[in-house]
Amino acid sequence: MKFTKMHGTGNDYVYINCFKEEVKNPEELARQISDRHTGIGSDGLVLIMPSDNCDFRMRIFNPDGSEAEMCGNAARCIGKYVFDNGLTEKTEITLETKAGIRKIQLFLFDNQIEKIRVDMGQPILDSVSIPIISDEDIIIDHPVCFEGEDYRITSVSMGNPHTVIFRNDVNNLLLENVGRVIETDPMFPQRTNVEFVEILSSTHAKVRVWERGVGETQACGTGACAVLVAGVLNKKLNRKSTISLPGGDLEIDWDPRNMHVYMTGNAVTIFNGELETEN
């Protein structure tokens, strides 16, 4: 089975072209290939598939085998993959995901992709839809205690749930300890991604991400969008800001006209390979 390993802002996945390959058990394959000691090593598995109503369809599986609704970094990489591999000549494509249809715009220089912009849609803020179990309809700067520690959280869904927490110094945070605790708290019935955010200016934030079903990652596209939305709601960030993650920067823009969030960043092919598997 042929595959391509790619990353967007350091968020690395193994991509399989399901126009040519058949993946019978993606949950198990994701567990196998994601292991960084015995597999290829990645933040998960992405299937590039035909769609009945879009140019392409994406399915994404975490290293624990669970299926995610959406990944912004993976969406950008799919844009690069389908263009570079001749699956499309379009520079504006539509992508079917479990979180809905996403529009991807490719910016070219000398017929090479320079950067990619994804329309991530409107953020979801109501607790029932995120989902989060709370008496509050909307969770903004809300006090919560996790295992004896007090936090103030803002909850946003970008097709998948995010819990955003602002603090002064994210570098000294023991994320592995607190990330798993928050991710699996009963108030999040579908678990949650967690972002710890340090505000550097009104247009710049530094973020560390704990991804649901993955652990700490170099970047999270939907997480960066959730951070921007939470920053605007808490009057800490402008609607157009740079979100710096360990893997690099993403430019996020929350358009007040249609309330859509736009994410712009890179997509990089690391290598191609072939996998011996019964999947």
Side-chain angles (χ1 to χ4, degrees):
M1 177 183 295
K2 293 182 179 180
F3 69 87
T4 299
K5 184 171 179 179
M6 307 179 73
H7 82 82
T9 328
N11 198 188
D12 61 335
Y13 288 92
V14 172
Y15 293 78
I16 295 179
N17 179 356
C18 291
F19 288 81
K20 295 183 177 180
E21 306 283 358
E22 181 182 3
V23 180
K24 297 178 182 178
N25 188 348
E27 297 84 358
E28 179 58 29
L29 182 60
R31 287 189 283 266
Q32 292 174 6
I33 58 96
S34 298
D35 191 290
R36 297 189 185 274
H37 299 287
T38 61
I40 298 168
S42 70
D43 290 328
L45 169 70
V46 177
L47 307 183
I48 305 171
M49 310 175 70
S51 171
D52 292 333
N53 55 355
C54 291
D55 294 313
F56 302 96
R57 178 187 176 202
M58 174 176 74
R59 293 187 70 189
I60 179 168
F61 296 86
N62 296 317
D64 65 357
S66 61
E67 185 170 4
E69 299 91 343
M70 175 59 188
C71 175
N73 291 318
R76 292 202 316 279
C77 286
I78 285 181
K80 177 176 174 60
Y81 182 97
V82 297
F83 186 85
D84 286 353
N85 287 275
L87 297 180
T88 186
E89 296 181 352
K90 296 180 179 180
T91 56
E92 294 186 10
I93 61 177
T94 55
L95 182 66
E96 178 186 351
T97 78
K98 287 191 70 176
I101 296 172
R102 297 294 182 261
K103 296 179 180 179
I104 303 172
Q105 186 174 4
L106 311 178
F107 296 91
L108 306 181
F109 181 77
D110 286 342
N111 207 40
Q112 299 293 317
I113 294 176
E114 191 172 42
K115 59 183 178 179
I116 301 171
R117 186 185 198 217
V118 182
D119 180 348
M120 301 290 285
Q122 295 182 352
I124 298 167
L125 301 177
D126 66 283
S127 298
V128 173
S129 299
I130 287 176
I132 178 171
I133 298 173
S134 174
D135 293 333
E136 302 292 326
D137 293 333
I138 299 176
I139 307 296
I140 300 175
D141 194 33
H142 185 68
V144 179
C145 181
F146 297 112
E147 288 198 347
E149 295 290 331
D150 292 327
Y151 299 89
R152 303 191 75 88
I153 68 172
T154 298
S155 292
V156 180
S157 172
M158 292 302 307
N160 53 357
H162 292 271
T163 299
V164 180
I165 300 170
F166 295 96
R167 59 174 290 150
N168 292 328
D169 185 1
V170 297
N171 288 337
N172 294 329
L173 175 69
L174 296 176
L175 186 56
E176 185 171 357
N177 293 344
V178 67
R180 186 174 287 104
V181 168
I182 298 176
E183 174 198 350
T184 58
D185 191 89
M187 74 184 300
F188 306 110
Q190 295 181 10
R191 298 185 293 167
T192 186
N193 302 283
V194 188
E195 286 79 31
F196 282 89
V197 184
E198 180 179 347
I199 299 297
L200 302 178
S201 73
S202 61
T203 59
H204 193 190
K206 180 193 295 184
V207 180
R208 287 178 66 191
V209 179
W210 180 269
E211 281 202 58
R212 176 185 57 168
V214 184
E216 184 170 10
T217 58
Q218 290 291 295
C220 176
T222 55
C225 295
V227 165
L228 187 281
V229 170
V232 172
L233 295 175
N234 285 278
K235 297 180 172 57
K236 296 179 182 292
L237 288 173
N238 291 350
R239 283 183 172 268
K240 188 173 184 178
S241 298
T242 299
I243 307 299
S244 292
L245 302 120
D249 293 347
L250 290 171
E251 300 300 323
I252 311 297
D253 183 1
W254 190 12
D255 194 324
R257 295 167 298 180
N258 61 10
M259 300 304 288
H260 283 219
V261 180
Y262 297 88
M263 173 193 62
T264 304
N266 68 352
V268 179
T269 299
I270 304 172
F271 62 84
N272 298 301
E274 192 162 349
L275 187 67
E276 291 187 9
T277 176
E278 296 180 358
N279 281 276

